[in-house]
mmCIF file with all atom_site columns, all heavy atoms in Angstrom:
data_model
loop_
_atom_site.group_PDB
_atom_site.id
_atom_site.type_symbol
_atom_site.label_atom_id
_atom_site.label_alt_id
_atom_site.label_comp_id
_atom_site.label_asym_id
_atom_site.label_entity_id
_atom_site.label_seq_id
_atom_site.pdbx_PDB_ins_code
_atom_site.Cartn_x
_atom_site.Cartn_y
_atom_site.Cartn_z
_atom_site.occupancy
_atom_site.B_iso_or_equiv
_atom_site.pdbx_formal_charge
_atom_site.auth_seq_id
_atom_site.auth_comp_id
_atom_site.auth_asym_id
_atom_site.auth_atom_id
_atom_site.pdbx_PDB_model_num
ATOM 1   N N   . SER A 1 163 ? 133.449 57.556 -33.417 1.00 97.00 ? 163 SER A N   1
ATOM 2   C CA  . SER A 1 163 ? 132.660 57.929 -32.241 1.00 97.00 ? 163 SER A CA  1
ATOM 3   C C   . SER A 1 163 ? 131.425 57.051 -32.087 1.00 97.00 ? 163 SER A C   1
ATOM 4   O O   . SER A 1 163 ? 130.959 56.823 -30.961 1.00 97.00 ? 163 SER A O   1
ATOM 5   C CB  . SER A 1 163 ? 132.254 59.406 -32.320 1.00 97.00 ? 163 SER A CB  1
ATOM 6   O OG  . SER A 1 163 ? 131.497 59.664 -33.494 1.00 97.00 ? 163 SER A OG  1
ATOM 7   N N   . ALA A 1 164 ? 130.867 56.550 -33.198 1.00 95.00 ? 164 ALA A N   1
ATOM 8   C CA  . ALA A 1 164 ? 129.695 55.676 -33.121 1.00 95.00 ? 164 ALA A CA  1
ATOM 9   C C   . ALA A 1 164 ? 130.022 54.338 -32.469 1.00 95.00 ? 164 ALA A C   1
ATOM 10  O O   . ALA A 1 164 ? 129.111 53.624 -32.020 1.00 95.00 ? 164 ALA A O   1
ATOM 11  C CB  . ALA A 1 164 ? 129.127 55.436 -34.515 1.00 95.00 ? 164 ALA A CB  1
ATOM 12  N N   . GLU A 1 165 ? 131.312 53.996 -32.400 1.00 97.00 ? 165 GLU A N   1
ATOM 13  C CA  . GLU A 1 165 ? 131.729 52.727 -31.797 1.00 97.00 ? 165 GLU A CA  1
ATOM 14  C C   . GLU A 1 165 ? 132.211 52.887 -30.361 1.00 97.00 ? 165 GLU A C   1
ATOM 15  O O   . GLU A 1 165 ? 132.391 51.894 -29.652 1.00 97.00 ? 165 GLU A O   1
ATOM 16  C CB  . GLU A 1 165 ? 132.846 52.106 -32.627 1.00 97.00 ? 165 GLU A CB  1
ATOM 17  C CG  . GLU A 1 165 ? 132.483 51.861 -34.080 1.00 97.00 ? 165 GLU A CG  1
ATOM 18  C CD  . GLU A 1 165 ? 133.693 51.515 -34.931 1.00 97.00 ? 165 GLU A CD  1
ATOM 19  O OE1 . GLU A 1 165 ? 134.632 52.334 -35.005 1.00 97.00 ? 165 GLU A OE1 1
ATOM 20  O OE2 . GLU A 1 165 ? 133.698 50.411 -35.514 1.00 97.00 ? 165 GLU A OE2 1
ATOM 21  N N   . TYR A 1 166 ? 132.446 54.114 -29.946 1.00 98.00 ? 166 TYR A N   1
ATOM 22  C CA  . TYR A 1 166 ? 132.963 54.355 -28.597 1.00 98.00 ? 166 TYR A CA  1
ATOM 23  C C   . TYR A 1 166 ? 131.886 54.066 -27.560 1.00 98.00 ? 166 TYR A C   1
ATOM 24  O O   . TYR A 1 166 ? 130.726 54.451 -27.732 1.00 98.00 ? 166 TYR A O   1
ATOM 25  C CB  . TYR A 1 166 ? 133.427 55.810 -28.467 1.00 98.00 ? 166 TYR A CB  1
ATOM 26  C CG  . TYR A 1 166 ? 133.795 56.206 -27.061 1.00 98.00 ? 166 TYR A CG  1
ATOM 27  C CD1 . TYR A 1 166 ? 135.022 55.839 -26.513 1.00 98.00 ? 166 TYR A CD1 1
ATOM 28  C CD2 . TYR A 1 166 ? 132.897 56.919 -26.265 1.00 98.00 ? 166 TYR A CD2 1
ATOM 29  C CE1 . TYR A 1 166 ? 135.356 56.192 -25.210 1.00 98.00 ? 166 TYR A CE1 1
ATOM 30  C CE2 . TYR A 1 166 ? 133.220 57.274 -24.962 1.00 98.00 ? 166 TYR A CE2 1
ATOM 31  C CZ  . TYR A 1 166 ? 134.450 56.907 -24.440 1.00 98.00 ? 166 TYR A CZ  1
ATOM 32  O OH  . TYR A 1 166 ? 134.768 57.246 -23.151 1.00 98.00 ? 166 TYR A OH  1
ATOM 33  N N   . ARG A 1 167 ? 132.275 53.399 -26.472 1.00 98.00 ? 167 ARG A N   1
ATOM 34  C CA  . ARG A 1 167 ? 131.335 53.097 -25.406 1.00 98.00 ? 167 ARG A CA  1
ATOM 35  C C   . ARG A 1 167 ? 131.812 53.620 -24.045 1.00 98.00 ? 167 ARG A C   1
ATOM 36  O O   . ARG A 1 167 ? 131.042 54.208 -23.311 1.00 98.00 ? 167 ARG A O   1
ATOM 37  C CB  . ARG A 1 167 ? 131.095 51.579 -25.319 1.00 98.00 ? 167 ARG A CB  1
ATOM 38  C CG  . ARG A 1 167 ? 130.378 51.002 -26.536 1.00 98.00 ? 167 ARG A CG  1
ATOM 39  C CD  . ARG A 1 167 ? 128.973 51.554 -26.676 1.00 98.00 ? 167 ARG A CD  1
ATOM 40  N NE  . ARG A 1 167 ? 128.327 51.110 -27.908 1.00 98.00 ? 167 ARG A NE  1
ATOM 41  C CZ  . ARG A 1 167 ? 128.380 51.752 -29.066 1.00 98.00 ? 167 ARG A CZ  1
ATOM 42  N NH1 . ARG A 1 167 ? 129.053 52.902 -29.156 1.00 98.00 ? 167 ARG A NH1 1
ATOM 43  N NH2 . ARG A 1 167 ? 127.783 51.310 -30.145 1.00 98.00 ? 167 ARG A NH2 1
ATOM 44  N N   . SER A 1 168 ? 133.070 53.379 -23.678 1.00 98.00 ? 168 SER A N   1
ATOM 45  C CA  . SER A 1 168 ? 133.540 53.832 -22.382 1.00 98.00 ? 168 SER A CA  1
ATOM 46  C C   . SER A 1 168 ? 135.059 53.870 -22.368 1.00 98.00 ? 168 SER A C   1
ATOM 47  O O   . SER A 1 168 ? 135.714 53.186 -23.160 1.00 98.00 ? 168 SER A O   1
ATOM 48  C CB  . SER A 1 168 ? 133.035 52.912 -21.270 1.00 98.00 ? 168 SER A CB  1
ATOM 49  O OG  . SER A 1 168 ? 133.747 51.689 -21.281 1.00 98.00 ? 168 SER A OG  1
ATOM 50  N N   . PRO A 1 169 ? 135.652 54.649 -21.437 1.00 98.00 ? 169 PRO A N   1
ATOM 51  C CA  . PRO A 1 169 ? 137.117 54.676 -21.323 1.00 98.00 ? 169 PRO A CA  1
ATOM 52  C C   . PRO A 1 169 ? 137.704 53.299 -21.050 1.00 98.00 ? 169 PRO A C   1
ATOM 53  O O   . PRO A 1 169 ? 138.814 52.989 -21.503 1.00 98.00 ? 169 PRO A O   1
ATOM 54  C CB  . PRO A 1 169 ? 137.350 55.631 -20.145 1.00 98.00 ? 169 PRO A CB  1
ATOM 55  C CG  . PRO A 1 169 ? 136.137 56.514 -20.126 1.00 98.00 ? 169 PRO A CG  1
ATOM 56  C CD  . PRO A 1 169 ? 135.005 55.622 -20.537 1.00 98.00 ? 169 PRO A CD  1
ATOM 57  N N   . ALA A 1 170 ? 136.982 52.460 -20.314 1.00 97.00 ? 170 ALA A N   1
ATOM 58  C CA  . ALA A 1 170 ? 137.507 51.141 -19.954 1.00 97.00 ? 170 ALA A CA  1
ATOM 59  C C   . ALA A 1 170 ? 137.711 50.246 -21.159 1.00 97.00 ? 170 ALA A C   1
ATOM 60  O O   . ALA A 1 170 ? 138.506 49.293 -21.099 1.00 97.00 ? 170 ALA A O   1
ATOM 61  C CB  . ALA A 1 170 ? 136.561 50.468 -18.959 1.00 97.00 ? 170 ALA A CB  1
ATOM 62  N N   . ASP A 1 171 ? 137.030 50.537 -22.262 1.00 97.00 ? 171 ASP A N   1
ATOM 63  C CA  . ASP A 1 171 ? 137.156 49.710 -23.457 1.00 97.00 ? 171 ASP A CA  1
ATOM 64  C C   . ASP A 1 171 ? 138.411 50.042 -24.271 1.00 97.00 ? 171 ASP A C   1
ATOM 65  O O   . ASP A 1 171 ? 138.769 49.298 -25.186 1.00 97.00 ? 171 ASP A O   1
ATOM 66  C CB  . ASP A 1 171 ? 135.929 49.875 -24.352 1.00 97.00 ? 171 ASP A CB  1
ATOM 67  C CG  . ASP A 1 171 ? 134.666 49.318 -23.720 1.00 97.00 ? 171 ASP A CG  1
ATOM 68  O OD1 . ASP A 1 171 ? 134.790 48.430 -22.852 1.00 97.00 ? 171 ASP A OD1 1
ATOM 69  O OD2 . ASP A 1 171 ? 133.572 49.764 -24.086 1.00 97.00 ? 171 ASP A OD2 1
ATOM 70  N N   . LEU A 1 172 ? 139.048 51.166 -23.969 1.00 98.00 ? 172 LEU A N   1
ATOM 71  C CA  . LEU A 1 172 ? 140.239 51.570 -24.710 1.00 98.00 ? 172 LEU A CA  1
ATOM 72  C C   . LEU A 1 172 ? 141.490 51.085 -23.987 1.00 98.00 ? 172 LEU A C   1
ATOM 73  O O   . LEU A 1 172 ? 141.505 50.961 -22.758 1.00 98.00 ? 172 LEU A O   1
ATOM 74  C CB  . LEU A 1 172 ? 140.279 53.098 -24.847 1.00 98.00 ? 172 LEU A CB  1
ATOM 75  C CG  . LEU A 1 172 ? 139.093 53.749 -25.562 1.00 98.00 ? 172 LEU A CG  1
ATOM 76  C CD1 . LEU A 1 172 ? 139.296 55.255 -25.640 1.00 98.00 ? 172 LEU A CD1 1
ATOM 77  C CD2 . LEU A 1 172 ? 138.894 53.160 -26.940 1.00 98.00 ? 172 LEU A CD2 1
ATOM 78  N N   . PRO A 1 173 ? 142.553 50.819 -24.726 1.00 98.00 ? 173 PRO A N   1
ATOM 79  C CA  . PRO A 1 173 ? 143.797 50.390 -24.076 1.00 98.00 ? 173 PRO A CA  1
ATOM 80  C C   . PRO A 1 173 ? 144.362 51.488 -23.178 1.00 98.00 ? 173 PRO A C   1
ATOM 81  O O   . PRO A 1 173 ? 144.068 52.672 -23.362 1.00 98.00 ? 173 PRO A O   1
ATOM 82  C CB  . PRO A 1 173 ? 144.724 50.096 -25.259 1.00 98.00 ? 173 PRO A CB  1
ATOM 83  C CG  . PRO A 1 173 ? 144.167 50.877 -26.397 1.00 98.00 ? 173 PRO A CG  1
ATOM 84  C CD  . PRO A 1 173 ? 142.681 50.902 -26.191 1.00 98.00 ? 173 PRO A CD  1
ATOM 85  N N   . ASP A 1 174 ? 145.160 51.081 -22.189 1.00 98.00 ? 174 ASP A N   1
ATOM 86  C CA  . ASP A 1 174 ? 145.807 52.059 -21.334 1.00 98.00 ? 174 ASP A CA  1
ATOM 87  C C   . ASP A 1 174 ? 146.646 53.013 -22.192 1.00 98.00 ? 174 ASP A C   1
ATOM 88  O O   . ASP A 1 174 ? 147.182 52.632 -23.219 1.00 98.00 ? 174 ASP A O   1
ATOM 89  C CB  . ASP A 1 174 ? 146.710 51.365 -20.312 1.00 98.00 ? 174 ASP A CB  1
ATOM 90  C CG  . ASP A 1 174 ? 145.913 50.562 -19.292 1.00 98.00 ? 174 ASP A CG  1
ATOM 91  O OD1 . ASP A 1 174 ? 144.715 50.851 -19.121 1.00 98.00 ? 174 ASP A OD1 1
ATOM 92  O OD2 . ASP A 1 174 ? 146.500 49.639 -18.686 1.00 98.00 ? 174 ASP A OD2 1
ATOM 93  N N   . GLY A 1 175 ? 146.765 54.251 -21.733 1.00 98.00 ? 175 GLY A N   1
ATOM 94  C CA  . GLY A 1 175 ? 147.531 55.236 -22.472 1.00 98.00 ? 175 GLY A CA  1
ATOM 95  C C   . GLY A 1 175 ? 146.686 56.427 -22.837 1.00 98.00 ? 175 GLY A C   1
ATOM 96  O O   . GLY A 1 175 ? 145.511 56.544 -22.457 1.00 98.00 ? 175 GLY A O   1
ATOM 97  N N   . ALA A 1 176 ? 147.291 57.337 -23.590 1.00 98.00 ? 176 ALA A N   1
ATOM 98  C CA  . ALA A 1 176 ? 146.606 58.560 -23.994 1.00 98.00 ? 176 ALA A CA  1
ATOM 99  C C   . ALA A 1 176 ? 145.682 58.306 -25.180 1.00 98.00 ? 176 ALA A C   1
ATOM 100 O O   . ALA A 1 176 ? 145.876 57.343 -25.938 1.00 98.00 ? 176 ALA A O   1
ATOM 101 C CB  . ALA A 1 176 ? 147.627 59.639 -24.333 1.00 98.00 ? 176 ALA A CB  1
ATOM 102 N N   . VAL A 1 177 ? 144.702 59.185 -25.338 1.00 98.00 ? 177 VAL A N   1
ATOM 103 C CA  . VAL A 1 177 ? 143.709 59.059 -26.415 1.00 98.00 ? 177 VAL A CA  1
ATOM 104 C C   . VAL A 1 177 ? 143.725 60.335 -27.246 1.00 98.00 ? 177 VAL A C   1
ATOM 105 O O   . VAL A 1 177 ? 143.689 61.438 -26.697 1.00 98.00 ? 177 VAL A O   1
ATOM 106 C CB  . VAL A 1 177 ? 142.298 58.827 -25.858 1.00 98.00 ? 177 VAL A CB  1
ATOM 107 C CG1 . VAL A 1 177 ? 141.296 58.598 -26.999 1.00 98.00 ? 177 VAL A CG1 1
ATOM 108 C CG2 . VAL A 1 177 ? 142.278 57.661 -24.879 1.00 98.00 ? 177 VAL A CG2 1
#
Side-chain angles (χ1 to χ4, degrees):
S163 59
E165 302 168 301
Y166 172 79
R167 293 296 174 270
S168 74
D171 293 336
L172 301 181
D174 292 339
V177 184

